[in-house]
Amino acid sequence: MPITPATATHTSPNGTADAILLELVDEDGVTIGTAEKLAAHQPPGQLHRAFSVFLFDERGRLLLQQRALGKYHSPGVWSNTCCGHPYPGEAPFAAAARRTFEELGVSPTLLAEAGTVRYNHPDPESGLVEQEYNHLFVGLVQSPLRPDAEEVGDTAFVTPAELAERHAGDPFSSWFMTVLDAARPAVRELTGPSAGW
């Protein structure tokens, strides 16, 4: 199963290995260049394109992911279902679907755009900075998960009340509440009023 950690390379069409590049963007999300992945996260951070996925089960519970301990950025913390960065020129929707499968071994039954959010979140543990123009997606998952242990430490489906309890006691990614709050209108539309989001 392919993975794309910060220090990985990917094979270009001509068969050579290239460093992972991110799309740098302006405040309107217009592409203005590229930067190597780790360099883009060094303080003060370079604004780059990213995505965040929120998948729900048939009961309206959110799928959380605990990031693997070996991750270069925010290891061991809980976060949304999946997040990452499109390759330069890759559509955010395609990147979101790709990474969800790479990390969790499932393809969403439904995946829909849920807007964008721009934020600047330093990570106190690593010293890295999330300076991101983030494309949000919500969807449904109906297949058994097959997480990649190099990417995912654990998973959990939670109700809003269970999330509040877990968020009060466990470490979460610095960006989690920002992206969840930005996605809430689409989450409510997807899950309906009875789910409580």
Side-chain angles (χ1 to χ4, degrees):
M1 180 176 300
I3 58 168
T4 51
T7 55
T9 58
H10 73 278
T11 304
S12 66
N14 64 12
T16 61
D18 299 319
I20 299 294
L21 296 178
L22 306 186
E23 252 183 27
L24 300 181
V25 299
D26 66 15
E27 294 292 339
D28 296 316
V30 176
T31 302
I32 58 172
T34 60
E36 189 276 324
K37 186 174 183 179
L38 194 54
H41 290 87
Q42 298 292 333
Q46 295 173 277
L47 184 59
H48 58 274
R49 195 176 309 284
F51 64 83
S52 289
V53 177
F54 297 86
L55 296 183
F56 296 82
D57 68 7
E58 66 283 350
R59 294 166 49 191
R61 298 180 303 168
L62 171 61
L63 174 57
L64 296 178
Q65 170 188 148
Q66 184 182 38
R67 294 165 63 84
L69 291 175
K71 301 277 277 187
Y72 81 105
H73 190 344
S74 302
V77 303
W78 288 90
S79 198
N80 49 294
T81 308
C82 178
C83 54
H85 310 91
Y87 293 128
E90 182 182 27
F93 184 93
R98 171 179 58 80
R99 283 303 286 162
T100 299
F101 185 79
E102 289 175 356
E103 293 186 6
L104 294 161
V106 293
S107 295
T109 317
L110 170 77
L111 192 63
E113 294 183 8
T116 59
V117 62
R118 190 260 196 256
Y119 54 78
N120 177 2
H121 285 299
D123 176 39
E125 293 297 318
S126 67
L128 300 174
V129 178
E130 288 291 0
Q131 187 87 249
E132 294 188 330
Y133 187 93
N134 197 307
H135 297 257
L136 308 172
F137 298 93
V138 299
L140 300 173
V141 61
Q142 296 175 305
S143 305
L145 304 177
R146 298 186 320 267
D148 180 340
E150 291 188 24
E151 296 288 327
V152 181
D154 200 0
T155 59
F157 283 96
V158 296
T159 65
E162 290 166 342
L163 174 60
E165 183 178 337
R166 188 180 289 259
H167 194 263
D170 293 338
F172 271 71
S173 65
S174 60
W175 62 87
F176 175 74
M177 287 308 298
T178 300
V179 292
L180 176 59
D181 287 344
R184 276 187 200 274
V187 168
R188 291 184 185 117
E189 187 175 336
L190 175 74
T191 60
S194 62
W197 293 103

